[in-house]
Amino acid sequence: VRLVESGGGLVQPGGSLRLSCITSVYFPRNYCMAWFRQAPGKEREGLAAINSKYDRRYAGSLKGRFTISKDNNRNPLYLQMVDLQPDDSATYYCAHGPYERTCGLTPAEYNNWGQGTEVTVSS
C-alpha cells in the first residue's frame, strides 16, 4: 500500500484545512488508517484513526476540532481540521495498518506511511 498526502499549507490561526490521503496499488479490504503529526523536536503524535467498518477514534487532546473520514474503501482518507492554532503546526502523515476493532494511535501499530504534508499555522 502506497500513501500520498496532500492539502497542507499555511493557514492563519482559527482557520481550517482538509488533508487528503490517497492510496495506490492494492488496498486491503480490512484495515486501520490513521492520521499522525510530528512537529520538529517532538515525537510523532496519533490524532485520529478509522477502520474498514468506519469506527473512529480520536486523541483526547483534539477537543473535537479534527474529523477523520473515509467514504468507502476506494475514496481518499480525509482529515478535516478547524480552529487551527500555532501548536498544530507540524508535518501530518497518514498511515495504514492491519484491522483492529479499535484502531490504535501509536506509530508502531502501522506499517505503511505517506511522505507527509506540512501544515503551518501562523499569522
Side-chain angles (χ1 to χ4, degrees):
V1 178
R2 183 180 177 186
L3 309 173
V4 180
E5 303 95 335
S6 62
L10 174 64
V11 62
Q12 292 187 341
S16 301
L17 281 176
R18 188 178 78 160
L19 306 182
S20 301
C21 174
I22 61 173
T23 61
S24 62
V25 301
Y26 173 71
F27 195 86
R29 175 176 297 182
N30 299 313
Y31 58 83
C32 278
M33 293 193 73
W35 286 98
F36 290 77
R37 68 184 178 189
Q38 189 167 19
K42 295 188 176 181
E43 294 186 353
R44 192 164 293 192
E45 174 189 15
L47 303 172
I50 187 169
N51 65 20
S52 45
K53 297 186 184 297
Y54 310 117
D55 297 317
R56 295 169 175 81
R57 179 183 179 183
Y58 294 95
S61 60
L62 298 180
K63 299 181 181 179
R65 298 185 298 121
F66 293 4
T67 302
I68 190 171
S69 64
K70 196 176 193 310
D71 292 339
N72 58 52
N73 284 348
R74 293 185 180 275
N75 283 359
L77 178 74
Y78 297 106
L79 185 69
Q80 178 69 47
M81 305 184 293
V82 301
D83 191 26
L84 286 163
Q85 301 301 319
D87 285 349
D88 295 315
S89 297
T91 300
Y92 284 69
Y93 300 90
C94 69
H96 177 279
Y99 172 83
E100 299 285 347
R101 174 179 287 187
T102 302
C103 296
L105 292 175
T106 58
E109 296 173 275
Y110 296 85
N111 49 20
N112 290 285
W113 293 84
Q115 83 290 346
T117 185
E118 189 169 354
V119 172
T120 302
V121 185
S122 175
S123 56

